[in-house]
Amino acid sequence: MTVSQQTEPQTALPSSNASLPHQLSGFATICDALDYAAQGETGFTFFNLRGEVAATLSYSELRKRALALAAKLAGTFERGDRLAVIAETSPDFIVTFYACQYAGLVPAPMPMPVNLGGKDGYINQIRQMIAGAKAAAAIGPETLREFLDEAAATAGGADIYSYDELNALEDKGATPQRFSADEYCYIQYSSGSTSAPKGVIGLQRSVCANLTAIARDGMGLKSGDRATSWLPLYHDMGLIGFVLTPMTAQVSVDFLATSDFVRRPLLWLRIMTEQKTTITYSPSFGYDLAAKRSARAEPGAIDLSAIRVAGIGGDMVRPEALNAFADAFADVGFNRNAFTPSYGMAEATLAISFPELGSPIIVDEVDMRHYTRSGVAQPASTLTSPENRRGFVLCGRALPGHEIQVRDENSAPCAERHVGRIYIKGPSLTPGYFSDADATSAMYDGEWLDTGDMGYFLNGQIVITGRAKDLIIINGRNIWPQDIEWAVEKVDGVRGGGVAAFSVDDGHGERIVVVAERRGMDADALAALKREIAGVVQNAVGAPAEIVLARPHSMVMTSSGKLSRAKVKQKYLDGAFAQDAGEDEETRPLAEARL
């Protein structure tokens, strides 16, 4: 029986070690860090949908099991082989990931299915990842064996193993050879990848540099800290932020499966209450969802007073979502100064910048009419109308040893408040994309990595305004889709988080299209809603738009919860919204379609 299958009542692992000195740096590889952490009692605890401890995996037990599996893997695969592994929130995935480190094999984490009814899309997604990694094997839970078989059939002939089958491999007496500092750690595929997914290479040296910077300089992890996460382990925030960073700092982590968070958002808060969590992270929508469910919390069931870092990342930081969460849980001890908006990306391992811990979030209110005309984030004034006012959150300064530049279209550094393209450099950066020299070359300008993000500096802190590829250009004006989406979401009858804005070239130039999920209503009400949305868009960005009203759950989201505008646009071009009319029953919670 594996650890993940235990059913006897258990208790969570301790938050601190009895005698092992706390150490945040000095580890050249992931294996070095686990060798040290395994000398203590801390580790991972897994909770089920009922909020019970379903399994525990101390760092000591993790090392023991990883070494045992590494010996079997070394006798089955060639050193340097890639293994595509479905990243379920379980001890099985984590043991397999670390076993690869000890065996000199490269894990390429793949997502869990994100919603019902998406089998074909999911199989195609993991097929591309298996093929892109040139994987020798694809591994996952037995419940997804059928999906793996179908995906691998046309993905280069990778062998298929369930976790149980992998652990049942014969030990042939091979001696595993762990990775050195200059070798691979993993390959991570972007959750937004489409027809040609890019695999970000993580080297042991670059990964450990980022882990140290996050733990020591970003979050200031200390003995007794405890983390809680519902983030998918396939995504960099889940994998790097909670499977690797806490282990490097010998900090315990409590895991809740993403699917269980979707069903019961307040369970995240209950676990943090019971375990006295000090560290957590979420995209803005996770805080928003919990705030919307706050009325369902039983009196006395939530206490968030221990939280000192409530990180926000993975997507644009939305001030209104954070305010809603802080207001909803202020009475149960949540300190809004715990919010820690940071900036990062998989190409930098995870984190690039952090603000000063414990300081209030700074929201820069910008006049968007001036912004779209000039490219300068001019502060809003008392004369700026509400629809032309937009708040951007400052995301801190570059981590020590790292640098951030904002460049204009001529690659010259931008002055403060002037919006440009963001470049970064430092020891945490990837050497490139796996087996894709062209994409790697396009990403770098000497030592500087082009993030593809747009932003500006304010008082030395970086402010993110959006992705360059999402920018809508109408008659020479730059329009950010988020400005349209956030304005439309406020319209009564539109589902929160259910709006996508993009541009389409119809042969005569670019035009704006807005797809909005509407609630059930009759034909007259739908027509009125269309007119109202069109007016809101005109007021918000000064341009007309085609308004498409779609059924609930029409948005396409990545596994990390980000809106995929490109995929919604493709649905529009394919005519998928043409028949959307009439009333619909909302049979699933909003977030289920978003993760």
Side-chain angles (χ1 to χ4, degrees):
M1 178 176 286
T2 65
V3 172
S4 60
Q5 295 172 317
Q6 294 177 3
T7 57
E8 296 179 2
Q10 300 180 75
T11 56
L13 292 174
S15 296
S16 58
N17 292 309
S19 58
L20 183 68
H22 189 232
Q23 183 171 329
L24 292 176
S25 61
F27 305 117
T29 69
I30 297 300
C31 292
D32 291 346
L34 183 55
D35 288 345
Y36 186 80
Q39 299 174 57
E41 297 79 41
T42 55
F44 301 129
T45 300
F46 300 81
F47 287 81
N48 61 24
L49 185 58
R50 295 183 297 276
E52 302 163 342
V53 174
T56 59
L57 185 66
S58 68
Y59 295 134
S60 176
E61 181 67 15
L62 170 58
R63 181 177 183 273
K64 177 181 176 181
R65 290 184 59 189
L67 284 169
L69 180 56
K72 297 176 180 180
L73 296 178
T76 305
F77 301 102
E78 295 292 327
R79 192 174 187 276
D81 276 352
R82 277 78 56 200
L83 303 186
V85 190
I86 292 180
E88 70 171 355
T89 304
S90 73
D92 287 323
F93 165 69
I94 292 177
V95 167
T96 302
F97 183 92
Y98 279 94
C100 287
Q101 308 300 312
Y102 283 108
L105 299 168
V106 185
M110 300 190 296
M112 292 285 287
V114 295
N115 55 37
L116 300 174
K119 177 182 176 182
D120 291 343
Y122 175 68
I123 289 173
N124 186 53
Q125 183 183 25
I126 62 174
R127 176 189 293 121
Q128 292 167 353
M129 293 176 179
I130 293 169
K134 301 176 182 177
I139 302 155
E142 182 62 38
T143 54
L144 296 179
R145 177 63 180 263
E146 178 186 345
F147 290 8
L148 284 174
D149 285 336
E150 188 170 340
T154 55
D159 294 330
I160 306 300
Y161 295 90
S162 68
Y163 287 120
D164 288 341
E165 289 170 336
L166 198 71
N167 283 283
L169 286 172
E170 179 185 356
D171 187 341
K172 300 175 182 177
T175 301
Q177 184 180 351
R178 65 174 62 185
F179 281 129
S180 65
D182 292 316
E183 293 184 292
Y184 278 32
C185 179
Y186 57 74
I187 297 172
Q188 183 170 32
Y189 284 95
S190 167
S191 58
S193 297
T194 53
S195 59
K198 296 182 179 68
V200 177
I201 298 169
L203 296 181
Q204 296 286 331
R205 186 182 304 279
S206 59
V207 171
C208 286
N210 204 234
L211 299 181
T212 296
I214 294 169
R216 182 187 62 199
D217 307 309
M219 295 193 291
L221 293 182
K222 53 193 177 184
S223 179
D225 268 331
R226 190 178 190 95
T228 298
S229 175
W230 57 264
L231 300 168
L233 302 190
Y234 151 75
H235 188 258
D236 52 3
M237 277 174 59
L239 179 67
I240 311 302
F242 289 91
V243 174
L244 295 181
T245 299
M247 180 280 298
T248 303
Q250 307 94 54
V251 166
S252 283
V253 183
D254 298 312
F255 286 115
L256 177 67
T258 305
S259 58
D260 291 343
F261 165 76
V262 167
R263 292 177 176 85
R264 296 186 60 193
L266 293 181
L267 186 53
W268 173 38
L269 309 188
R270 202 184 96 196
I271 292 170
M272 292 195 289
T273 297
E274 294 172 352
Q275 302 305 320
K276 295 181 171 55
T277 294
T278 58
I279 311 288
T280 194
Y281 247 86
S282 171
S284 297
F285 78 81
Y287 292 106
D288 190 41
L289 185 60
K292 289 176 178 176
R293 303 290 176 87
S294 61
R296 303 183 187 181
E298 298 177 7
I302 305 297
D303 179 355
L304 305 182
S305 59
I307 296 176
R308 65 178 188 84
V309 176
I312 314 102
D315 207 349
M316 291 285 290
V317 180
R318 300 186 59 168
E320 65 274 18
L322 306 187
N323 287 333
F325 184 91
D327 291 343
F329 299 105
D331 290 342
V332 292
F334 181 75
N335 179 357
R336 66 176 62 236
N337 288 351
F339 280 134
T340 307
S342 54
Y343 172 52
M345 60 191 308
E347 287 81 354
T349 303
L350 175 58
I352 299 168
S353 72
F354 269 86
E356 181 180 349
L357 291 181
S359 60
I361 279 187
I362 302 174
V363 180
D364 186 32
E365 295 287 342
V366 170
D367 184 326
M368 292 307 295
R369 282 193 180 273
H370 190 279
Y371 175 106
T372 56
R373 292 189 178 110
S374 67
V376 177
Q378 178 174 295
S381 71
T382 55
L383 300 178
T384 305
S385 61
E387 62 267 25
N388 292 319
R389 181 186 293 264
R390 168 96 176 270
F392 292 105
V393 175
L394 278 64
C395 292
R397 294 172 170 79
L399 288 165
H402 298 72
E403 294 181 53
I404 303 174
Q405 274 190 359
V406 178
R407 301 181 182 179
D408 65 18
E409 56 188 15
N410 297 315
S411 293
C414 290
E416 185 172 84
R417 285 195 173 278
H418 286 246
V419 178
R421 203 171 180 106
I422 299 173
Y423 286 75
I424 58 175
K425 75 172 182 178
S428 300
L429 301 192
T430 176
Y433 297 115
F434 179 73
S435 195
D436 196 337
D438 290 343
T440 298
S441 177
M443 177 173 55
Y444 273 100
D445 178 13
E447 293 181 292
W448 290 90
L449 185 149
D450 179 358
T451 67
D453 291 324
M454 304 292 287
Y456 61 94
F457 277 116
L458 180 60
N459 300 326
Q461 296 197 53
I462 190 66
V463 185
I464 315 302
T465 60
R467 293 287 292 170
K469 67 179 181 181
D470 289 334
L471 190 64
I472 298 171
I473 302 176
I474 303 292
N475 298 325
R477 290 179 54 232
N478 294 337
I479 297 172
W480 291 105
Q482 295 94 335
D483 294 335
I484 298 172
E485 291 159 1
W486 295 359
V488 172
E489 282 182 17
K490 296 176 183 176
V491 175
D492 208 20
V494 174
R495 288 170 56 87
V499 183
F502 47 86
S503 63
V504 173
D505 188 341
D506 59 8
H508 302 286
E510 295 288 313
R511 59 185 175 86
I512 299 172
V513 177
V514 178
V515 179
E517 293 180 352
R518 78 302 191 283
R519 303 188 185 281
M521 55 185 68
D522 60 30
D524 290 341
L526 289 173
L529 180 61
K530 263 193 175 186
R531 290 192 297 271
E532 183 177 359
I533 292 173
V536 165
V537 174
Q538 182 72 44
N539 287 334
V541 299
E546 176 188 350
I547 309 302
V548 178
L549 298 181
R551 292 183 174 91
H553 315 298
S554 294
M555 295 298 106
V556 182
M557 315 301 284
T558 70
S559 61
S560 58
K562 298 178 185 177
L563 171 68
S564 177
R565 295 184 185 89
K567 291 183 179 179
V568 177
K569 177 177 178 177
Q570 191 58 54
K571 285 181 67 174
Y572 167 81
L573 294 173
D574 291 342
F577 303 118
Q579 302 302 317
D580 280 5
E583 282 196 35
D584 291 291
E585 292 183 7
E586 297 179 22
T587 57
R588 290 183 291 154
L590 169 62
E592 187 168 334
R594 303 182 64 184
L595 283 167

